[in-house]
Amino acid sequence: MRLCRSLLVRALLAVALLAIAREPLAAQSAEALARLEAARDAKPEDFSTQRALGVAYFKAERYADATAPLQAARSLDAADPVAALYAGLTADQLGDYSSARTAYTDYLAVKRPWYAFKAKRAAAQVRDRLVAIAHLESVAAAKAAVAAEATLAPGGGDPRTIAVPPMRYSGPDAAALSPLERGLAELVITDLGKSSQLVVVERDRMQALADEIALGASGAVDSASAVRAGRLIQAGRLVNGNIVHGGETLTLTSSIVSVRTSEISSPARVSDGMDKFFDLQKDLVFQIFDQLGVVLTDEERAAIGVRHTQNFEAFLLYSSGLVAMDAGRFQDAARLFEQARVADPSFAAAASRAGLAQAAMVGAAVNATTLESAMPVSERNVVSTAVQGVVLPPAPPALIPGLPGIPRLPAAPAGPLGATLAATSLGVNPPSVSPVTFAAAPGSPPTPIFDLPSNVSGQDRLRIVSSILVFVRVLP
């Protein structure tokens, strides 16, 4: 009993101490934001202030508030990497994946000096994040389309815009072969896309919409479901297909549904043994072109006739990878695509999808913390000072043509913040001529000397080497 009472007292004390510890931090954050807001109100056209305020809002998890100042900063300086990166992170947190993709892409487009090696680590993370949010963007777009369904025009899109929902499998081996529904749809989409007369909706977009509205969940896609899907994705016509498997016979069928009129064409049908799967797929797709009224050129016909793989085991693994990818199980998808590539090393699509799934798996874990650890020092300074309510001005002009100027921190205020900024100023951005003097903390290392001596013997040589090492260390 005493032990339980003692543990309870300790737990309550720990909670109280934690609340006491957090209160000053919250007060400091509010004070920092108040300073930045006042600076923004005084100079709304100042890029550095808008950027600092946007970053500070983001770090305070006030994502909706961060959007406006970051957008203002980007309009004032479209080439600033910090503003672009935090605009992407903010939109990402808000679920606005389209805006996040735009901002991240702008971040990758920023040109940096040749020596900014560390920036490449952050850029690699952003590229992986872009792959991960492509899936999230498709899902979000499908949800938005369904939510806005009442506002859509009844006629559908251009008849030349074609969508291919997942095919529907029926047969005794559904557990093993149902992934072919997505794999076959992708083959048809890829082949239809080789005609210059058609605009074909991406498989990932169509699949996300199909999942959102449970298209064909009953095992058959009727006319009403197809028309609804076509309207939602703004297609003019849909290609509905079925995979019927019985014994040793495989039958593939397709029909064209007009979104505008709801009419369904007579079905195309091909049938043969399972070992003729890839021959059947090509025969079917040429019949689909006939159904669509598309006359192919000799070059287009030859391109469509190329087989992506003739290894059925590899294609089934690939199709299973698509199922995992659509569900956001990127690790499983990467494993399945890699197995497909191993089964058929010439299966280029499997190798490509394996790389994308691996990137999506890594990108799913990318966040502000991982990116900040990979950012160049000069960009991290912008973030750390913004959190403290200090505006870091843009870097000064280059002292040497072709080399950027070294960004300097503002004058350090009194108190703990001043000590932190002072240490950062000496340890990260050392002065190029003579060191800036601050009161050294007890036990701190001596201030490095950066002036070069007139001779290079003995201790002077050591000083030169130390200076070079420090200079290399502080490069972004």
Side-chain angles (χ1 to χ4, degrees):
M1 187 69 177
R2 285 183 179 178
L3 178 60
C4 293
R5 188 176 301 164
S6 176
L7 291 175
L8 179 60
V9 170
R10 289 182 183 181
L12 292 174
L13 181 60
V15 171
L17 289 174
L18 183 60
I20 293 171
R22 283 181 174 175
E23 185 175 356
L25 292 177
Q28 289 178 16
S29 175
E31 183 180 345
L33 285 170
R35 284 199 301 271
L36 292 173
E37 288 168 345
R40 184 270 317 271
D41 294 341
K43 293 183 178 180
E45 295 302 316
D46 183 69
F47 156 75
S48 299
T49 301
Q50 293 281 15
R51 177 182 64 179
L53 180 58
V55 170
Y57 276 141
F58 177 88
K59 298 296 287 183
E61 299 183 2
R62 292 173 56 177
Y63 306 120
D65 292 330
T67 301
L70 287 171
Q71 288 179 344
R74 295 184 68 204
S75 67
L76 293 166
D77 185 353
D80 181 73
V82 176
L85 179 61
Y86 277 85
L89 287 168
T90 298
D92 208 338
Q93 286 287 340
L94 293 172
D96 183 0
Y97 299 114
S98 178
S99 296
R101 174 170 46 82
T102 299
Y104 285 145
T105 303
D106 290 345
Y107 172 81
L108 293 175
V110 173
K111 294 183 179 179
R112 291 182 171 86
W114 62 269
Y115 55 76
F117 303 112
K118 197 167 186 179
K120 295 180 180 179
R121 291 173 50 198
Q125 288 193 32
V126 170
R127 281 191 288 269
D128 289 338
R129 184 60 189 166
L130 279 170
V131 178
I133 68 173
H135 168 72
L136 298 172
E137 187 177 3
S138 295
V139 173
K143 292 181 181 298
V146 172
E149 184 173 7
T151 66
L152 296 175
D158 190 310
R160 293 172 298 179
T161 301
I162 310 299
V164 183
M167 306 293 186
R168 289 299 158 196
Y169 173 87
S170 60
D173 298 328
L177 299 181
S178 61
L180 293 175
E181 297 176 340
R182 304 183 193 215
L184 182 58
E186 179 165 287
L187 289 182
V188 172
I189 288 169
T190 301
D191 287 342
L192 293 179
K194 292 176 181 176
S195 168
S196 60
Q197 301 178 51
L198 301 176
V199 177
V200 186
V201 176
E202 296 175 354
R203 190 205 71 87
D204 294 350
R205 284 184 58 208
M206 185 66 243
Q207 184 63 53
L209 181 62
D211 290 340
E212 180 65 21
I213 64 176
L215 183 62
S218 63
V221 182
D222 59 22
S223 176
S225 298
V227 168
R228 182 188 180 200
R231 287 180 62 248
L232 287 170
I233 209 162
Q234 292 296 286
R237 289 179 288 180
L238 280 86
V239 178
N240 282 341
N242 291 278
I243 307 167
V244 181
H245 178 217
E248 297 298 321
T249 303
L250 182 70
T251 301
L252 306 181
T253 64
S254 70
S255 56
I256 310 301
V257 180
S258 169
V259 176
R260 187 178 298 276
T261 64
S262 301
E263 293 181 358
I264 304 177
S265 70
S266 299
R269 184 187 304 271
V270 293
S271 184
D272 209 326
M274 180 66 80
D275 60 333
K276 299 293 185 181
F277 176 84
F278 298 106
D279 294 335
L280 292 174
Q281 186 270 322
K282 292 301 179 184
D283 291 343
L284 181 68
V285 84
F286 283 120
Q287 289 193 36
I288 291 173
F289 277 116
D290 292 339
Q291 289 178 312
L292 294 171
V294 173
V295 178
L296 298 168
T297 66
D298 292 340
E299 292 80 3
E300 290 171 342
R301 186 172 290 274
I304 293 165
V306 174
R307 309 295 171 90
H308 303 283
T309 181
Q310 298 196 68
N311 185 319
F312 185 77
E313 178 189 357
F315 184 70
L316 186 56
L317 286 166
Y318 179 85
S319 300
S320 298
L322 292 177
V323 174
M325 195 76 174
D326 293 336
R329 295 185 286 109
F330 302 131
Q331 185 173 3
D332 290 340
R335 173 178 53 80
L336 290 163
F337 289 136
E338 179 60 18
Q339 289 176 353
R341 186 199 65 79
V342 171
D344 181 2
S346 66
F347 193 0
S352 176
R353 283 278 190 176
L356 288 174
Q358 182 70 26
M361 181 177 67
V362 175
V366 170
N367 54 39
T369 301
T370 63
L371 283 166
E372 286 165 6
S373 67
M375 288 168 62
V377 171
S378 58
E379 295 174 18
R380 283 210 309 271
N381 284 347
V382 174
V383 178
S384 60
T385 53
V387 172
Q388 299 293 343
V390 177
V391 177
L392 188 65
L399 299 177
I400 303 174
L403 290 178
I406 300 176
R408 300 295 181 85
L409 293 171
L417 174 59
T420 301
L421 294 180
T424 305
S425 179
L426 285 175
V428 174
N429 291 323
S432 58
V433 179
S434 59
V436 182
T437 57
F438 295 98
S444 61
T447 301
I449 299 175
F450 298 95
D451 56 313
L452 295 181
S454 58
N455 62 75
V456 292
S457 62
Q459 295 295 324
D460 292 332
R461 182 180 291 112
L462 179 60
R463 293 167 70 188
I464 292 176
V465 172
S466 299
S467 298
I468 292 173
L469 290 175
V470 172
F471 178 72
V472 171
R473 179 173 61 84
V474 301
L475 291 178

